[in-house]
Each structure stands twice: as C-alpha cells, then as structure tokens.
Amino acid sequence: MDAIRVRGGKPLKGTVKISGAKNAALPILCATLLSDGQSRLRNVPALRDIDTTAALLRFLGRNVRVNAPEVHVDAGSDVRPEAPYELVKQMRASVLVLGPLVARFGRAKVSLPGGCAIGARPIDQHLKGLEAMGCKIRLERGYVIAEGPNGGGRLRGAEVAFDLPTVTGTENLMMAAALAKGQTTLVNCAREPEVEELGRVLNKMGATVDGAGTDVIHIRGKDQGELEPFDHAIIPDRIEAGTYMCAAAILPGGDVIIEGAEIHDLEALVMKMRAAGVEVATEGQSIRVRRNGPLRGVNVTTAPHPGFPTDMQAQFLVLMCTAASESVITETIFENRFMHVPELLRMGGNIALRGNTAVVDGAERLYGASVMATDLRASASLIIAGLAAEDETEVRRVYHLDRGYERIEEKLGGLGATIARVRGAES
Ligand code: EPU
C-alpha cells in the first residue's frame, strides 16, 4: 500500500490549480442514467471514486470512457438495474444510482452501504422520499429493492420534507423526481453547491428544477420517455481548495494563490481563517492565502452548508494545533469524525476529546511520526500536520487520499513542500 512522506518546516509558496469537484461529479455521473445518447462531463478529477463510479455504471450496462478531465457516458445495450455490494462498499456515494434507476427503469436493487469510518450514515431519508413518490421498498439480505408504482411504473411527484438536510438524499430525490409524473417539492434540502450543480445539469437535461441550492426545491419531471444527454464542465472542488488554504496557512511565511476556487462557496472557512489571523483575499478567479505572524485559536462548529463544512473540520483542527491560544472544535454532522485526533496526539498535538468536541491547545511544535489515515479528510489533515512538523512524517494507507485529492503530492511539491509517494510501503 502506498504511503506519503512529508518533511516539514518549509512554508508553502506559489500557485496551485484546483480540480473539478468530486462530490459534484459523482451525482452528475449517476444522472447520466436518466438519458440515452452520449453525455460529456468535463473538468472531472482523476480520482479513485470517479473510477469506482465508472465501474458501477459499466456494471449497470452503460458505456463509460474515462479520460480525465473528460468522461463520456452513453447507453449500452442492456440495463441491469443492480448495484452490488462489492462496488457499493468501496464507495457509499454508489447509493446515488438508486433514484435514477427506479425512476428510469421502474426497479432497482442497490446494496445498503453499511457503516463507515466516520459514522453510521443511514439512508432512511432517501427511502422515505422514494416511498412518497410511489415506490415500494423492501430490504432483503443487505439490499434495497425498489419498485415503481403498479409493479414498475412511473414515479409520481410528491411533497417530501427531510427530517434533516442530507446531501446525497437531496440529490437522489432530485434525480428521481426529474422523471416522475407531475411536480415534486423537497423541503429542508441540503444547500451545498454540489446540489445546486446537479440542479443545473438536470435543467440542461430537460427537467425543470427550481431552487436547487436553497432549502426548498421544486422539480417538474418529464412524465414520458427519458431526459436528454448533456455536456457539462464540473465546478471546482471547494473542499480541495479549502484543504490547500489550510496547508498554505500552517506555517508563518506561507503565501499561496489557489487558482480556480470559488470564494463564495467557502465563506464559513474564510471567516474562521481570517479570525485566526490568516490573510485571505480574492485575486480575480483565485484566492490568495498568506500567513505572517502567530495564529489565534478560534472555535468552530460544523453545520450543513452554508455553515462550516464537516469536510474541512480535520484540516482546520490541524491549523488550530499550531495556534497560540485554545480553540474548541465541535463536530455535529458525523458521530465519529475525530479519528485524526489520536494520530495528531502522536505528533505532539495538545487535544482533549470530549464526545463530539475537541479542545485544542496550540502546541509548541509538532513532531514527525508514522501515522495512519482512516478517512479521506483525516488523511489530508495528517499531511498538513506533516508540513508543519519537525523531521519526517509518513502518512500510511493513502488509498483514502486517492479517493478525493488529485495528485496531492505533485500539487504540494509544486508549492515547495518536500513530499513524496512511497509505493508499496508497509500498511
Ligand atoms: N443522514 C441520516 N439519514 C439519511 C441521510 C443522512 O440520518 O437518510 C444523516 C447522516 O448520517 C449524517 C447527516 O445526515 O449525520 C448528513 O449526511 P449527508 O447525507 O448529508 O451525507 P452524505 O450525503 O452521505 C455528503 C458528502 C460527504 C460529506 C457530507 C456532509 C458526497 C458524495 N458525500 O455525504 O463527503 O461529508 O455530505 O457534507 O457528496 C467527503 O467528501 O469526504 C465526504 C465524506
């Protein structure tokens, strides 16, 4: 298994270009199931999750050509509306085929994703919404079996109020509603930019989606046939951008231009970084991050968008490990998303965990160590810690990282970091 070695101590300087957003590309790839003909996605990052989704679409019977940053999908011959455990267990977002499959083909059999490193992550809200649209749902031997009304007919538009905002839940129901008869209203929706992006694509495909990116979405579905294929360039990855923002600020003297990032999608992070004493400015289509003096500790509580993203909690926590005063970091989205903390303690971090809260006291210094990543964002946070640490840090099990960060060692290397991938290192 590969590892990444980082030698800390050098502030980052230079320009880094942000790739397309993984969490926007995944639902949009699944949306291709709603049409025949050839769709073209541009600005798709070269990542393992994209390959897993391509494999899943091929299993379902689609022709998929991945040649990052482009992906072409067209209808194959036969469709097999079934997502097996082997693929779903590699990537929870595979559940995003459930809505489009049942809307388009009247039935779907999709493995339940099961728990994952960061929490239980149920899909009850997805299922509740599909039931409201007339789906019959059974759970059988670890699979969700969904069938359209009257033994596989067209879904009906419905009113669905989510008990809590869910990103993939909102996306799944938007895709299902796009081929349902009549109007669907979704209330208490996730407002993430990736949801808004899916709305744009569904509109390009001929559905009428209004309000994506707000908490109420109206969708008028196409009640016969399928949607049109599309050509679309994916928005930049705000979490990748935020990760480089934290990396830029981890050492005094850091000065990085993050190219192609959308600052409006990162407002909560930008405000917290400024409060901590980091200079964050826009320069055209870029964000410039500079750190000069010491950092102040600032408190952060994760929340659905536009709140502070849970996907930035680990990276920001590492930044706070280098601050001159205490900070309190509270995680409200996932119940087990502090797996990076024990590893950071091994690097000299001063962190006390109490339930869903981490109290972080700035450490004099962090030390290099061998550490192990347990999920995607935790892996990125350990690399950022390595950039600040004395000596060498080895981050193991970087396959998590390869799910969501395109060429991270090259990008950080381009900013002056001493970083290398070690192929086949001990796991
Ligand atoms: N939840 C339920 N029932 C549901 C659905 C969700 O209780 O039916 C709960 C979850 O357990 C969680 C909360 O609702 O406590 C929010 O989960 P959400 O459904 O929004 O998460 P997700 O859609 O599974 C997406 C991203 C995650 C990101 C979260 C939160 C994708 C493919 N994944 O997951 O991204 O952390 O939203 O913003 O969009 C990552 O990229 O590293 C990542 C984990």
Side-chain angles (χ1 to χ4, degrees):
M1 229 173 267
D2 293 359
I4 285 187
R5 287 201 185 129
V6 195
R7 183 162 284 280
K10 270 199 204 163
L12 300 184
K13 287 183 192 298
T15 301
V16 63
K17 190 167 178 343
I18 296 309
S19 303
K22 166 182 85 83
N23 288 348
L26 299 180
I28 293 173
L29 278 166
C30 296
T32 62
L33 289 166
L34 299 167
S35 72
D36 285 336
Q38 191 172 97
S39 290
R40 177 164 80 135
L41 285 74
R42 287 171 286 124
N43 201 32
V44 178
L47 297 173
R48 207 156 58 90
D49 274 6
I50 299 295
D51 294 335
T52 306
T53 309
L56 175 59
L57 292 175
R58 284 189 199 109
F59 182 91
L60 296 169
R62 301 264 129 174
N63 292 324
V64 187
R65 255 185 312 125
V66 180
N67 189 10
E70 283 208 7
V71 178
H72 294 254
V73 185
D74 63 56
S77 41
D78 280 334
V79 169
R80 171 169 43 168
E82 181 178 333
Y85 179 58
E86 283 314 310
L87 287 167
V88 177
K89 76 169 196 237
Q90 289 177 40
M91 191 190 67
R92 297 184 52 83
S94 307
V95 74
L96 283 166
V97 298
L98 179 61
L101 282 179
V102 72
R104 175 78 195 285
F105 304 104
R107 59 193 76 244
K109 181 175 174 189
V110 175
S111 171
L112 277 167
C116 79
I118 61 178
R121 303 180 76 180
I123 57 162
D124 56 301
Q125 300 297 308
H126 306 225
L127 302 184
K128 176 181 103 167
L130 289 174
E131 276 175 336
M133 295 171 83
C135 245
K136 281 223 168 56
I137 306 250
R138 279 184 293 138
L139 299 182
E140 212 175 271
R141 300 172 67 84
Y143 279 80
V144 178
I145 300 174
E147 196 179 78
N150 309 318
R154 201 88 176 174
L155 299 181
R156 303 184 290 267
E159 287 182 4
V160 179
F162 292 105
D163 294 338
L164 76 184
T166 152
V167 175
T168 49
T170 304
E171 293 166 344
N172 232 339
L173 294 193
M174 284 166 75
M175 290 188 278
L179 278 187
K181 277 189 192 158
Q183 168 134 336
T184 297
T185 301
L186 305 177
V187 176
N188 197 20
C189 295
R191 290 179 283 168
E192 270 68 2
E194 294 76 20
V195 173
E196 195 177 342
E197 175 80 338
L198 176 64
R200 264 178 230 123
V201 169
L202 292 173
N203 280 330
K204 276 191 182 175
M205 296 177 81
T208 309
V209 179
D210 193 25
T214 73
D215 56 354
V216 179
I217 306 179
H218 300 283
I219 303 132
R220 179 155 289 283
K222 196 169 167 200
D223 56 12
Q224 275 182 353
E226 69 273 345
L227 297 181
E228 301 297 322
F230 61 90
D231 181 339
H232 189 77
I234 308 286
I235 49 168
D237 195 315
R238 66 194 165 100
I239 304 299
E240 189 197 21
T243 302
Y244 285 103
M245 288 168 70
C246 289
I250 196 73
L251 284 174
D255 183 357
V256 174
I257 294 176
I258 295 153
E259 220 176 69
E262 183 49 78
I263 199 160
H264 300 295
D265 293 341
L266 284 160
E267 261 160 13
L269 173 69
V270 169
M271 279 160 72
K272 290 294 176 183
M273 288 187 72
R274 285 183 178 147
V278 181
E279 247 180 78
V280 183
T282 39
E283 292 190 358
Q285 284 300 308
S286 303
I287 301 175
R288 184 169 185 178
V289 176
R290 274 180 288 190
R291 169 167 170 197
N292 295 311
L295 295 184
R296 286 182 290 278
V298 289
N299 300 342
V300 156
T301 300
T302 62
H305 192 78
F308 191 95
T310 174
D311 288 346
M312 283 305 306
Q313 178 259 105
Q315 304 89 312
F316 194 82
L317 187 148
V318 169
L319 201 57
M320 290 296 95
C321 283
T322 69
S325 52
E326 187 184 276
S327 61
V328 179
I329 314 278
T330 307
E331 171 60 52
T332 70
I333 307 291
F334 293 113
E335 63 274 23
N336 196 21
R337 214 178 191 179
F338 279 126
M339 305 279 272
H340 38 291
V341 168
E343 302 300 303
L344 290 169
L345 292 179
R346 300 184 52 246
M347 296 179 71
N350 278 333
I351 311 160
L353 261 189
R354 285 187 215 117
N356 70 340
T357 295
V359 179
V360 186
D361 224 339
E364 278 285 286
R365 59 177 69 115
L366 296 174
Y367 302 97
S370 267
V371 288
M372 205 151 70
T374 44
D375 78 73
L376 171 58
R377 308 304 170 187
S379 315
S381 78
L382 296 175
I383 289 192
I384 297 174
L387 291 171
E390 280 182 3
D391 300 328
E392 191 172 86
T393 297
E394 184 176 72
V395 182
R396 297 184 179 185
R397 296 208 178 166
V398 293
Y399 60 87
H400 293 293
L401 208 61
D402 295 335
R403 293 185 50 187
Y405 289 95
E406 189 178 53
R407 296 179 290 107
I408 191 168
E409 67 276 23
E410 261 176 59
K411 290 191 183 186
L412 286 171
L415 296 172
T418 308
I419 182 167
R421 179 177 289 255
V422 188
R423 304 248 170 225
E426 211 182 306
S427 63

